[in-house]
């Protein structure tokens, strides 16, 4: 059974980890009030560009800290040298990337966004600065979780969230219908928070740069970096394509729908982050690498949470969009159900990817995700002209399904999966199929009735699938 202590810890890390990014949800009504759909579309592309830069300069140290911390924790001096060197390496890479983009950024934007008004100066340059300092925050968050410091993790993310929201709102009110507020506000918050992080790191671990020690991580970091860049292509390149093949306004209401569903992303990512170190530790202790009953419970539970979160967001967000946003954004409400289906595949994706991290088997990942990125891009190029925004969503769903299958086929000879396929795969697929069919075929009914029907199907299915677990929890909480 999953303990109450673990559930409490999971909630702390989930809520705290979501706070900085939760500004994307909290700030949406302000974006709708002070930015046109066209400007909001441009903002989403700048944010996607900033995230790409962040991935590059982080150089996967947010992921490798999980592994190297436990290798060096019995030697405090070596651990301090490694952690300080990792942060200094990120600063060196950041300086090189910033210099390169300062020289070629304008030409790069002019080449890619030929039919739009997106330019590198000033907002692309400000996005680069934001990315560098957010990279430091991300690595520090991984370190705090690995050190099991939930209190510091909570307060740092709470302060960062408050600054992002505060500076952005002030900027939007002071300078409406421009991007200075959201981009400048996020940059100020990132610089301030990361400045404190660097001060804390150097105070705790000293100032070191051990190139020999850093090189030992590159066999993991380099393939992982390529993998993360490919993940960016899979998850964010759709904004660029929609900007090129459709319009800025289309990107605007599409991104609004995606940002609404970040609520599911935050929930699932936070829960996964809370039990991921436990799973890695369990696999590390196994003589025969396999998915144990304990490991299965985490991912089976995550699948149930995903189903509930999807139907809840489908019921909640469309009426909120109609109520809070001007008419130019209302098309986003129609995209919510189909876009939410994507998250039903997240638990299976996370479980199939877990053994690669646990076994430090990252070598095939660049090849796998290069192929998956190519599949998704080709599908988007084929389907966006035909189905517009829905083409991008269907391309995402298909590519994620292919990802689950490919990861399983590649890792199954090194890691044995003994799990309940109905809980992890078939139950989410049934709910997703009901939603897709309902959106495409059911007409004439009020949307709230259709969305309520999705919830009924999901709840009945979950009660049946998890009937044994519910019976055990019921006996534990309400003994006779």
């Amino acid at each position: 059974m999953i303990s109450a202590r673990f559930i409490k810890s999971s909630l702390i890390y989930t809520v705290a980890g979501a706070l900085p990014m939760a500004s994307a949800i909290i700030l949406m009504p302000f974006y709708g009030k002070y930015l046109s759909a066209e400007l909001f579309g441009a903002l989403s592309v700048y944010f996607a560009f900033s995230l790409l830069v962040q991935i590059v300069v982080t150089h996967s140290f947010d992921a490798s800290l999980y592994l190297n911390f436990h290798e060096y924790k019995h030697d405090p001096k070596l651990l301090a040298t490694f952690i300080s060197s990792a942060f200094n390496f990120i600063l060196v890479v950041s300086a090189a990337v910033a210099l390169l983009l300062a020289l070629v950024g304008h030409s790069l934007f002019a080449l890619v966004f030929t039919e739009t008004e997106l330019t590198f100066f000033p907002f692309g340059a400000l996005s680069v600065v934001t990315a560098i300092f957010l990279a430091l925050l991300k690595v520090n968050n991984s370190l705090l979780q690995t050190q099991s410091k939930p209190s510091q993790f909570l307060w740092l993310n709470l302060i960062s969230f408050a600054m992002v929201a505060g500076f952005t709102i002030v900027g939007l009110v002071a300078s409406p219908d421009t991007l200075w507020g959201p981009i400048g506000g996020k940059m100020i918050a990132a610089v301030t928070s990361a400045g404190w992080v660097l001060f804390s790191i150097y105070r705790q671990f000293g100032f070191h740069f051990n190139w020999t020690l850093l090189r030992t991580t590159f066999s993991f970091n380099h393939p992982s970096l390529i993998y993360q860049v490919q993940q960016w292509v899979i998850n964010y390149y759709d904004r660029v394509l929609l900007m090129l093949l459709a319009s800025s306004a289309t990107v605007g209401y599409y991104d609004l729908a995606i940002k609404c569903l970040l609520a599911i992303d935050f929930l699932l990512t936070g829960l996964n982050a809370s039990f991921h170190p436990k799973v890695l530790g369990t696999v590390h202790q196994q003589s025969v690498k396999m998915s144990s009953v304990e490991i299965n419970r985490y991912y089976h539970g995550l699948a149930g949470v995903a189903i509930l979160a999807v139907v809840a967001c489908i019921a909640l967000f469309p009426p909120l969009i109609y109520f809070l946003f001007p008419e130019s954004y209302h098309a986003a409400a129609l995209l919510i159900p189909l876009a939410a289906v994507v998250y039903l595949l997240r638990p299976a994706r996370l479980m199939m990817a877990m053994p690669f991290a646990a076994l430090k088997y990252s070598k095939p990942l660049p090849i796998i995700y290069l192929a998956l990125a190519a599949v998704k891009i080709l599908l988007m190029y084929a389907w966006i002209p035909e189905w517009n925004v829905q083409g991008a969503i269907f391309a995402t769903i298909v590519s994620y399904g292919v990802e689950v299958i490919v990861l399983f086929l590649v890792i199954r000879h090194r890691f044995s999966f003994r799990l309940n396929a109905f809980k992890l795969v078939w139950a989410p697929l049934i709910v997703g199929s009901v939603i897709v069919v309902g959106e495409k075929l059911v007409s004439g009914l009020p949307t709230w009735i259709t969305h309520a029907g999705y919830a009924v199907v999901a709840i009945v299915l979950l009660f049946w699938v998890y009937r044994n677990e519910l019976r055990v929890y019921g006996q534990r909480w309400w003994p006779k």
Side-chain angles (χ1 to χ4, degrees):
M1 297 295 294
I2 300 175
S3 66
R5 181 180 179 183
F6 170 76
I7 294 174
K8 180 180 179 181
S9 175
S10 299
L11 289 174
I12 291 174
Y13 280 117
T14 299
V15 173
L19 281 174
M21 294 183 291
S23 59
I25 298 175
I26 302 298
L27 292 171
M28 284 191 300
F30 296 94
Y31 292 148
K33 181 176 181 180
Y34 293 103
L35 297 178
S36 66
E38 289 79 7
L39 275 177
F40 188 67
L43 177 66
S44 69
V45 173
Y46 280 119
F47 280 171
F49 169 68
S50 180
L51 180 58
L52 177 60
V53 176
Q54 178 185 330
I55 290 171
V56 172
V57 301
T58 301
H59 210 78
S60 293
F61 275 102
D62 58 320
S64 63
L65 269 179
Y66 276 123
L67 305 174
N68 291 284
F69 181 89
H70 294 290
E71 292 184 11
Y72 302 141
K73 66 181 179 181
H74 300 298
D75 187 340
K77 184 177 180 180
L78 187 62
L79 177 64
T81 300
F82 171 75
I83 292 175
S84 178
S85 298
F87 277 88
N88 284 324
F89 179 81
I90 292 170
L91 290 176
V92 171
V93 174
S94 297
V97 170
L99 178 60
L100 177 63
L101 289 175
L103 296 175
V104 305
H106 176 75
S107 299
L108 180 63
F109 269 62
L111 177 65
V112 175
F113 302 107
T114 54
E115 303 297 327
T116 70
E117 297 182 359
L118 268 68
T119 59
F120 181 74
F121 295 105
F123 299 119
L126 294 179
S127 299
V128 172
V129 175
T130 302
I132 290 171
F133 288 97
L134 287 180
L136 298 171
L137 286 173
K138 186 176 183 182
V139 175
N140 187 65
N141 276 344
S142 294
L143 177 61
L144 291 176
Q145 283 188 278
T146 307
Q147 291 176 306
S148 297
K149 294 183 175 180
S151 178
Q152 293 184 29
F153 186 88
L154 172 62
W155 282 107
L156 179 62
N157 283 278
L158 181 62
I159 293 170
S160 177
F161 161 76
M163 286 194 296
V164 169
F167 286 128
T168 299
I169 292 171
V170 169
L172 286 169
V173 173
S175 184
D177 289 322
T178 73
L179 298 180
W180 286 106
I183 293 181
K186 190 172 184 179
M187 184 195 73
I188 294 172
V191 171
T192 306
S193 300
W196 170 253
V197 164
L198 283 177
F199 172 77
S200 300
I201 290 295
Y202 293 140
R203 183 179 62 179
Q204 181 179 359
F205 300 107
F207 189 91
H208 307 280
F209 191 83
N210 189 321
W211 175 250
T212 303
L213 187 61
L214 288 174
R215 286 181 61 186
T216 63
T217 71
F218 289 162
S219 61
F220 173 85
N221 286 36
H222 291 337
S224 180
L225 172 61
I226 297 173
Y227 160 75
Q228 290 184 14
V229 171
Q230 291 167 337
Q231 285 292 308
W232 179 90
V233 174
I234 292 172
N235 293 319
Y236 291 94
Y237 192 66
D238 50 2
R239 276 79 160 176
V240 177
L241 278 183
L242 285 170
M243 180 72 72
L244 299 176
L245 300 178
S247 66
S248 296
T250 302
V251 179
Y253 70 75
Y254 171 76
D255 197 60
L256 172 59
I258 300 302
K259 280 187 166 58
C260 287
L261 297 173
L262 284 177
I264 307 176
D265 193 13
F266 295 159
L267 177 61
L268 299 183
T269 301
L271 288 173
N272 180 69
S274 65
F275 65 69
H276 189 63
K278 296 179 182 292
V279 171
L280 295 183
T282 301
V283 175
H284 179 72
Q285 295 174 1
Q286 293 175 337
S287 56
V288 178
K289 307 303 181 183
M290 58 181 291
S291 56
S292 64
V293 174
E294 179 186 3
I295 292 174
N296 290 342
R297 282 173 179 160
Y298 292 132
Y299 291 100
H300 292 165
L302 196 66
V305 171
I307 291 173
L308 291 175
V310 163
V311 296
C313 287
I314 290 174
L316 175 65
F317 282 115
L320 283 179
I321 290 174
Y322 289 127
F323 178 73
L324 295 175
F325 289 86
E327 187 176 354
S328 59
Y329 287 93
H330 287 181
L334 303 177
L335 297 179
I336 291 290
L338 290 178
V341 171
V342 170
Y343 289 97
L344 294 172
L345 298 171
R346 175 65 65 85
R349 294 172 62 214
L350 290 171
M351 187 166 193
M352 293 302 116
M354 175 272 295
F356 290 88
L359 302 177
K360 297 184 181 180
Y361 185 54
S362 58
K363 185 177 180 180
L365 292 180
I367 300 174
I368 293 172
Y369 283 98
L370 177 63
L372 292 174
V375 168
K376 183 175 179 180
I377 290 173
L378 289 174
L379 290 177
M380 286 193 295
Y381 268 111
W383 291 349
I384 287 176
E386 182 72 20
W387 297 320
N388 205 333
V389 182
Q390 290 188 1
I393 296 174
F394 285 127
T396 301
I397 294 172
V398 171
S399 64
Y400 284 174
V402 173
E403 176 186 358
V404 172
I405 296 171
V406 172
L407 290 178
F408 170 76
L409 292 176
V410 171
I411 202 64
R412 62 183 175 140
H413 299 298
R414 294 172 178 261
F415 188 92
S416 177
F417 288 99
R418 299 179 182 178
L419 50 85
N420 188 322
F422 196 90
K423 290 180 179 178
L424 186 69
V425 178
W426 293 112
L429 284 180
I430 290 172
V431 174
S433 299
V434 169
I435 294 171
V436 171
V437 171
E439 292 301 302
K440 302 302 292 184
L441 299 181
V442 175
S443 60
L445 290 176
T447 56
W448 71 267
I449 295 179
T450 307
H451 296 172
Y454 303 154
V456 170
V457 170
I459 292 172
V460 170
L461 182 63
L462 288 175
F463 265 105
W464 183 78
V465 172
Y466 293 91
R467 59 192 182 279
N468 295 328
E469 289 85 349
L470 291 173
R471 186 182 302 114
V472 173
Y473 274 111
Q475 292 173 352
R476 179 181 177 184
W477 292 339
W478 296 288
K480 295 181 180 180

